[in-house]
Each structure stands twice: as C-alpha cells, then as structure tokens.
Amino acid sequence: MVRTLIRWARTERRHTRTRFTLVFGGVFALIGFALALGTASLGAIEFDTTAVNVDLLAAGVLGIGVLWIVVPLLLGIRDTPDPGHLALLPLRTRTMMAGAFANVLLSPAAILTVIALAGLVVFSFRGGVLSVLVAVVAAGLQLVLILLLSRVVVASIGTSLSARGWRVIGQAAFALIASCAWVLRFALDDAADQLIAQNNPALSQTLRLLPTGWAVSAIEGATRADAVATLVPLLGLAVACGLLRAAWSALVARSVIRTTIARPATGATARTRAVASPLAASLRKELLLWARDERRTMSLLVAICSGIALGVLMAAMGVPGMLPYGGLCALVVAIFIAANLYGFEADRLWTTLTAPGAARADVLAKQLAWLIVHTPPVVLLTVIPILAAGEPATYAIPWLAASVPVMLGTGIAASVLMSTLIAWAMPRTGVGAQLPFRLILGPRQFISITIIATAIATALLLPLTAVLIGVVSDATWLQWAGAPLGIAIGACSILLATRPASRQLERRGPEILDRTTANVGLLQVL
C-alpha cells in the first residue's frame, strides 16, 4: 500500500507540473545543491580548533531545520497524498504516515539534506572507525528528526487553520520573519564571525543544546572517546524522533476524523443592516473583508512588520535620524501589494459585476477602506519613532508631513487603477494561499509596480520642492506648506483615478473575473 501512495504522489506532482515550476525548480535545486555542499564542507575544513567545526556544523544543521519548516509554509506544501483524501478508505494511520514519510524521504529536498548531513560523517574521520559509525547513526537520526519536525509543523498548521485566532497569530509570526529576514542577515554574519573566533561561549553552548546540535555533539564525544557525551545525545535524538512521530500520528488521525465528520451549515449571526447608499454598502463590505480575509490581513501585517524591521535595523546601526522612515517603508510595501487589489477579489468580483451601477462605488470604497485600514499604523510608525528619537529625528517632520499624504492618496489611487488594468490570479492552494504577493515578479507585476512608482514620484515633486525651498531659505511657513499640498494632491489623485478605474471595471469586468479566478498555486504561471 505504501508503494501505491508513493505512485499517487508522483502522479499528482506530474499533473500539477508546469514549465514555470520546472525552470525555477531547477534554479532552486542548483542553489540548494550549492548550499548543501557548503554545509558538508564545514566538516572537512581545518580550523584552529575542532570546536569551530562543531559549532559551524551545529549552526548549519539548525539552518537546514529552519528551512524545512519555513519553505513548506511559504510554498503551501502539504502531506502528499493528503490524509483527508484517504478518509473513506480502510487504511490505518500508520500506513498513511509511512506513505507520506516515504514521499518526503524520496524528494529532492531530502536528498540535498543528506548531502549536507554528510559533513557530519566527513568530520568524524578525524576520530577513527568508532566515531564514523556513531556519525552514520547520528546523521540518520538527525535526518529523521528534521523530516518529522517539518511534517509535524505542516500538519499542525493545517489542522489549526479553522481557528481565526491561530491564523492571525501564525500570519503575524510569518510576516515578522519574512519582513525581518534581510535584517537577520547582519546578525547571522556577526554570529558566524563569533563562532569562528570562539569569543561567544553562550552562543556555542546554545547551538549544541538545541536538538539540531545533538548529532554533532555525539560525534565530538566519540572522537574524545567519551561514552556519556556520545550516548546521551544519541538517546535524545531517538526519544525526540519517537515523540515527534507520536505527535504526527495524532495530527494525521485528527485530520482524517475532521474530514469524515460533516459540519452543519450555520446562518449568519449578525443581522444585515440597511445602508443609505451604494457607496456605504460597498465601504461596509470592504471593511468587513479587511477584517476577515486572511490575505488582506497578511498584507497589512507584512507592511507593518516591514516598517518595524527598518526601525530595528536603524536602531541597531545607531542612526536614530532614520527611525521615522519606518512608516514610509510600511506604506511602500502596502502600496505595491495593493497593485493587485482586484486580484484579491477572485470570484467575489461577480457580485459587483452583477449589480447595476456598482462599479464606481466599489472602486471608491476600495480606496477609502484601504486608507482607513492603513493610515493609523503608518502614522504610528512615523510619530512614535520621532518621539522616541527626539532631537535627531525632528528634521524629518516637514518632509514626512508632505510625503505621507501624497503617498497614501496617490499610492492607493494608482494601485486601484492598475489593478483594473493589469490584474493577475493569486495562489489559491495550500498554506501559501494566504500570501498577498508572489515570490517571483512576472512582467505584469513589474509593469504595474513601475507605473505606480512613477506616479508617486511625480506627485511628490511639488510638495517636496516646497519643503526643500523652505529649508534652504529658512522659511518655516514654506516648509509646512508641503503638508496641505500633499493632502490636496492625495485627495485629487483619488478623485481623478476613480472615474477611469470604474470605467475599466465596467468594460473589462468579465475579463478581470476570468483572469483572477484561475486556480493556480504559488509557483505556477504568472
């Protein structure tokens, strides 16, 4: 039966494969192969002491474990075949788990992980035959631990997605990690330097105490002929694998049970309120979507976390004068995500197209709702750093007062207009369906973002010029004239973009609906 499940998974992957996934899958495979070889080489390089090899190998295995958790969540990868598809078959949970684990073990990612863990065996050559045998056992247990941990995380996320609170927590954590990834790069470089110099004992001890460092700790103990230091990490790996297997079994059984039990349909709990106009109805609908749609929630969280990440980076670099620009960073991210605002609609756009004269109200409501949702966090990310930084950041107040209103108004106006002209389908499968953006920009996305950036830059010329002249001539009133100019330009941009956007929606509505309802995955055709 396990062989049948493996063939099932291969057939499913073959039928969902496209030219795009093949090309970029090959690119990612080459990158992964280079990273795997780099990790494996850490066991062969001669450093001043073997402790450096141990610490770097522990850090490399930790990175592999993190990738096995983050990448499936990012790309929406799930257990194949899905246990829910096998709910009505007389199969035991053990058989389903064996089939899913065999598919993971035979995947290209697992092969690259084996290459990376080969560095443990290479490192063990320094200690003789016994240490090589211990390294083979430890590397095998470490591989099983990483794969089981990945399956448990993926399965737990899948079973907890029915709870709104857990979804928001997971989205916030993912958005924070994704936004701060470029900030973490500097911390990783510093940590690598500390490991090579061996001047941070706490970091080295932490890497060895984590489960991802137990294998290399056992090998180090075997090279020193220390039985306790060898057996304790090996027993820890075995026990951890057993606990993870039990947790995965419970999650698989739970997913099967939840699939077989039909949930009774429930009506709406809140009464439908009468609204005074089509604009009020559309605005209420948009605000409810921002409160309930996971993709929109994720877009807001990613924008906020991007602003926070910039603030953290500026604080770490000792540049307090740049702290207030976290609000602008969050605003830029939010504007570029909104470039496909009608792509978020998908089949919900059908209700707008079937209502006579609803296009103009829908376009205007989308812009107003976006402003209502994004203005408070942008203002907070701008004002709070100014108050915290004090005197070094006060110079930025006139510039931000002129820039933020222009970018709010012109940004959402250009984004909604481009969304009616160049809309694209968003991922609708797997956990990756919550992402508000694509990992790889195609020609449509690039054209849309370029036009939006050009419109914002053009709108910023007048207010920023006024502020610049005021600063040069020391005219305070002219510095603050940029704020009302920015508000006026932002408001005019919304009014000017509403009419052509609504006309495009009326004229090309069915085409937009057909294009945005394509059932695509995260790495399929752009």
Side-chain angles (χ1 to χ4, degrees), residues 8-22:
W8 181 344
R10 290 180 177 177
T11 303
E12 182 177 347
R13 284 194 293 265
R14 185 169 61 250
H15 284 290
T16 57
R17 190 179 301 159
T18 64
R19 185 178 303 174
F20 184 83
T21 57
L22 288 176

Side-chain angles (χ1 to χ4, degrees), residues 288-323:
L288 288 175
L289 284 175
W290 277 105
R292 298 175 181 176
D293 185 19
E294 296 168 8
R295 197 188 298 277
R296 296 174 191 245
T297 303
M298 177 66 87
S299 70
L300 179 61
L301 290 173
V302 168
I304 294 174
C305 292
S306 299
I308 295 174
L310 180 64
V312 171
L313 178 62
M314 294 298 104
M317 296 176 62
V319 191
M322 295 295 293
L323 290 178

Side-chain angles (χ1 to χ4, degrees), residues 67-421:
L67 288 177
W68 268 98
I69 294 174
V70 172
V71 172
L73 297 181
L74 186 63
L75 301 182
I77 299 174
R78 54 179 173 78
D79 286 334
T80 306
D82 190 344
H85 296 164
L86 310 174
L88 300 180
L89 297 179
L91 296 177
R92 292 184 299 177
T93 303
R94 183 182 303 176
T95 305
M96 299 182 191
M97 292 173 55
F101 190 78
N103 286 318
V104 175
L105 197 60
L106 297 175
S107 64
I111 296 174
L112 294 177
T113 304
V114 171
I115 295 174
L117 293 178
L120 301 177
V121 180
V122 174
F123 174 70
S124 67
F125 289 158
R126 309 179 186 189
V129 179
L130 179 61
S131 62
V132 173
L133 295 176
V134 171
V136 172
V137 176
L141 289 174
Q142 193 73 74
L143 175 64
V144 174
L145 176 70
I146 292 174
L147 298 185
L148 286 176
L149 181 61
S150 173
R151 295 304 92 195
V152 168
V153 171
V154 172
S156 61
I157 292 294
T159 55
S160 64
L161 282 179
S162 59
R164 173 67 177 172
W166 282 108
R167 282 201 298 268
V168 173
I169 293 174
Q171 289 171 347
F174 177 80
L176 187 61
I177 293 173
S179 302
C180 295
W182 57 284
V183 179
L184 293 175
R185 173 181 171 272
F186 299 97
L188 293 176
D189 291 341
D190 184 58
D193 294 338
Q194 293 179 4
L195 291 177
I196 294 175
Q198 289 291 294
N199 57 6
N200 192 341
L203 178 60
S204 301
Q205 193 67 19
T206 301
L207 289 173
R208 301 185 188 206
L209 290 178
L210 290 173
T212 51
W214 293 349
V216 68
S217 298
I219 299 170
E220 184 186 25
T223 57
R224 299 197 314 262
D226 189 341
V228 175
T230 302
L231 294 177
V232 171
L234 290 178
L235 291 176
L237 286 172
V239 171
C241 290
L243 293 176
L244 288 174
R245 183 192 177 282
W248 188 26
S249 176
L251 291 171
V252 171
R254 181 183 175 186
S255 66
V256 172
I257 293 174
R258 287 181 54 175
T259 304
T260 55
I261 297 178
R263 187 172 297 178
T266 57
T269 57
R271 292 178 299 175
T272 303
R273 299 179 182 179
V275 290
S277 66
L279 177 60
S282 299
L283 181 60
R284 181 172 182 269
K285 180 200 73 171
E286 289 298 321
L287 292 176
L288 288 175
L289 284 175
W290 277 105
R292 298 175 181 176
D293 185 19
E294 296 168 8
R295 197 188 298 277
R296 296 174 191 245
T297 303
M298 177 66 87
S299 70
L300 179 61
L301 290 173
V302 168
I304 294 174
C305 292
S306 299
I308 295 174
L310 180 64
V312 171
L313 178 62
M314 294 298 104
M317 296 176 62
V319 191
M322 295 295 293
L323 290 178
Y325 292 95
L328 284 184
C329 178
L331 187 54
V332 169
V333 174
I335 289 171
F336 288 157
I337 292 177
N340 192 35
L341 202 55
Y342 273 100
F344 290 7
E345 292 287 291
D347 48 7
R348 286 192 297 263
L349 182 60
W350 179 82
T351 58
T352 302
L353 298 179
T354 54
R360 180 177 178 82
D362 187 74
V363 169
L364 187 56
K366 273 183 168 48
Q367 299 175 78
L368 295 178
W370 189 90
L371 290 175
I372 292 172
V373 171
H374 288 82
T375 301
V378 169
V379 172
L380 290 176
L381 287 173
T382 304
V383 173
I384 292 177
I386 292 177
L387 298 177
E391 183 65 25
T394 54
Y395 81 95
I397 295 178
W399 299 95
L400 292 172
S403 302
V404 171
V406 174
M407 294 184 66
L408 281 169
T410 307
I412 186 56
S415 296
V416 170
L417 179 58
M418 292 308 301
S419 182
T420 59
L421 294 172

